[in-house]
Amino acid sequence: MTDDAPAPPVSAPPPSAASAGEAAGPAGLSRPRALLPDLAPWHASADFRRLWLAGLISNFGTFLTFVAVPVQVKDLTGSAAAVGAIGAVELVPLIVFGLYGGALADAHDKRKLILSTEAGQGLLSAVLLLNALLPEPAVWPLYLVAALASALGALQRPALDSLIPRIVAHEHLPAAALLNSLRWTVGGVAGPALAGVVVAYAGLGAAYGADVLTFVVSVVLCLRLAASPAALPHSRLRSSGETPMAAKPSLRSIAQGARYAWSRKELLGTYVVDLAAMFFAMPLAVLPFLADELHAEWSLGLLYAAVPAGSLLVSLTGGWTSRIHRHGRAVVLAAAGWGLAIAAAGIARNVWLVLFFLALAGGFDMVSGIFRGAMWNQTIPDELRGRLAGIELLSYSVGPQLGQVRSGGMAAWRGVRTSVWSGGLLCTAAVALLALRLPGLMRYDVRTNEHAVRLRAGRTGTAG
């Protein structure tokens, strides 16, 4: 079950647990409490608890495989380009099935989509396990499974994203976003850190086997989710006496979502900025080779865990995000910070400095993700959430896949360190240029944006 970082508030929401503590508690306790995540969605929604736990467990196993696959490709081929090619084989399924998955999520029961794709990903992990247990493991199953897993993840993610606003109250969406990012980063830190030890001492089969078990537990939890049928279009159909129908998945419905995204230039800006940041400055494909260059093979798991560790720190102290209203500007500044931190990691010669800068980059990436999620979740109409989530998936998934291809190819051509630091500098330059070309993104303010105000008013009216 995949994840990214979502969302803060539309305007002034009702007091959260954190803000209540800040108002009533002693001065010494108010500031720490204001930084801690708000647990209101966890307490209010049983389905959110189930989905959160399922994601935590399956993400932990997924990160084991996330480290094991490139290590196995490296061991079998010895080529940085071959490791980078994993991102290339994942790219086309992401584009095709991400867009179609968004249309499916708007037209069908989201629970069924989540269940079927989660079970499918578990079966693919079993294929990796069987291949690893062969006397002579083959390389081609690794690429095949990567492509199929990418397709299933692309089909699942829009259903997951569009389900959250249904099972969580509107005023709790920022807190739910922070809790979801916390869920991802816990697995992102523990999974890769443990994977380095598991792969080194227990073997690749143990990592893949653990991933299979986590998917089994996740599917059992998702079986208890309530049904979530397709959203119905405008209520005017009901008043006219017609039977409202959800848009069927088709090229036409996908195009409708794309037209809406194109009409929202500030929304479009978040996609483009994230694409640029991930394309130029995603170093994951070369981390096994960077560990070798640092003469610290033992650090591979830590290198993979460093970015999620920085994200985790921001997740644990993200209460401050609810007091930021200029979300577009925050996205741009955080993306530029990500690029500078990656460039510093490429220049540093000490392994601990490299880990520090990678963690700093992860913190910037989480800040960007939180505010991107805020703009998406709190301004997009319910009947379009699936299709826009499909477009969103492309922005934060295609970029990293292309980034792996770029970093792997550059490392093969000019060296590992050049690949990392040049990508970071190119990212910062690209983000600065986009900021100049996207004034709507820089002006965005959640308190005054017409789409945010309208959606909040609609949710408040429905609740009333």
Side-chain angles (χ1 to χ4, degrees):
M1 192 173 290
T2 53
D3 264 311
D4 193 46
V10 148
S11 56
S16 65
S19 60
E22 184 178 6
L29 296 177
S30 61
R31 289 178 183 173
R33 287 181 181 177
L35 293 175
L36 294 177
D38 184 355
L39 298 179
W42 176 274
H43 295 307
S45 172
D47 272 350
F48 179 78
R49 290 196 297 274
R50 295 182 186 114
L51 205 60
W52 195 92
L53 287 172
L56 175 68
I57 293 167
S58 67
N59 281 344
F60 185 85
T62 297
F63 274 108
L64 289 175
T65 298
F66 178 73
V67 173
V69 168
V71 168
Q72 190 172 17
V73 172
K74 171 181 174 287
D75 290 344
L76 293 174
T77 67
S79 167
V83 176
I86 297 172
V89 301
E90 292 173 337
L91 182 57
V92 173
L94 266 177
I95 295 173
V96 175
F97 291 97
L99 292 173
Y100 187 64
L104 281 176
D106 283 338
H108 295 287
D109 190 310
K110 295 171 178 55
R111 174 185 175 273
K112 291 180 180 178
L113 283 171
I114 292 169
L115 263 174
S116 58
T117 51
E118 192 78 350
Q121 290 179 87
L123 290 175
L124 291 176
S125 294
V127 172
L128 291 175
L129 172 60
L130 292 174
N131 181 62
L133 296 177
L134 292 175
E136 294 185 7
V139 175
W140 66 264
L142 302 178
Y143 290 108
L144 177 62
V145 168
L148 294 175
S150 177
L152 288 176
L155 288 173
Q156 183 188 79
R157 185 53 192 262
L160 278 171
D161 283 353
S162 55
L163 179 62
I164 294 297
R166 288 190 172 190
I167 62 177
V168 174
H170 190 270
E171 64 271 18
H172 294 161
L173 282 173
L178 203 57
L179 290 173
N180 279 337
S181 68
L182 178 62
R183 170 184 76 178
W184 179 84
T185 52
V186 166
V189 172
L194 182 60
V197 177
V198 171
V199 170
Y201 294 101
L204 294 162
Y208 295 140
D211 192 19
V212 173
L213 291 177
T214 63
F215 275 115
V216 171
V217 177
S218 176
V219 167
V220 171
L221 285 169
C222 288
L223 282 170
R224 300 188 62 193
L225 292 173
S228 183
L232 300 178
H234 303 146
S235 58
R236 64 177 178 79
L237 291 177
R238 298 182 190 140
S239 62
S240 67
E242 300 176 46
T243 302
M245 298 288 289
K248 294 181 179 180
S250 63
L251 289 176
R252 181 178 180 182
S253 66
I254 293 172
Q256 182 184 11
R259 283 195 298 271
Y260 177 82
W262 184 258
S263 71
R264 296 277 311 279
K265 293 301 187 288
E266 77 284 10
L267 203 64
L268 204 61
T270 65
Y271 301 146
V272 177
V273 167
D274 190 49
L275 273 170
M278 295 298 102
F279 172 72
F280 288 114
M282 176 53 72
L284 296 182
V286 300
L287 290 185
F289 301 91
L290 183 59
D292 291 344
E293 286 209 3
L294 291 166
H295 305 292
E297 291 79 3
W298 54 267
S299 69
L300 178 59
L302 295 178
L303 289 173
Y304 275 110
V307 170
S311 299
L312 177 60
L313 182 61
V314 171
S315 299
L316 290 172
T317 59
W320 60 271
T321 58
S322 64
R323 297 186 290 278
I324 303 298
H325 306 291
R326 304 291 293 272
H327 296 165
R329 185 168 295 181
V331 168
V332 169
L333 292 175
W338 155 270
L340 290 174
I342 291 296
I347 294 170
R349 296 289 173 177
N350 180 277
V351 64
W352 297 108
L353 272 179
V354 173
L355 289 169
F356 168 77
F357 286 122
L358 288 176
L360 182 63
F364 279 121
D365 187 46
M366 179 55 67
V367 171
S368 175
I370 287 171
F371 291 112
R372 291 196 314 270
M375 294 177 66
W376 297 334
N377 287 343
Q378 296 183 320
T379 65
I380 297 171
D382 186 57
E383 66 270 16
L384 287 168
R385 283 190 188 277
R387 280 163 284 180
L388 269 293
I391 297 172
E392 171 194 341
L393 175 70
L394 298 185
S395 78
Y396 65 70
S397 297
V398 171
Q401 305 310 322
L402 287 174
Q404 290 191 65
V405 177
R406 186 213 66 82
S407 62
M410 177 66 79
W413 178 42
R414 302 296 296 177
V416 173
R417 289 187 171 278
T418 300
S419 172
V420 177
W421 67 255
S422 65
L425 294 180
L426 286 170
C427 162
T428 305
V431 169
L433 180 61
L434 287 169
L436 294 175
R437 302 295 298 171
L438 295 167
L441 177 63
M442 298 299 287
R443 288 196 305 265
Y444 178 90
D445 190 320
V446 70
R447 297 166 296 185
T448 56
N449 179 266
E450 59 175 313
H451 303 281
V453 172
R454 185 185 305 122
L455 192 61
R456 181 173 178 82
R459 286 292 295 268
T460 302
T462 300

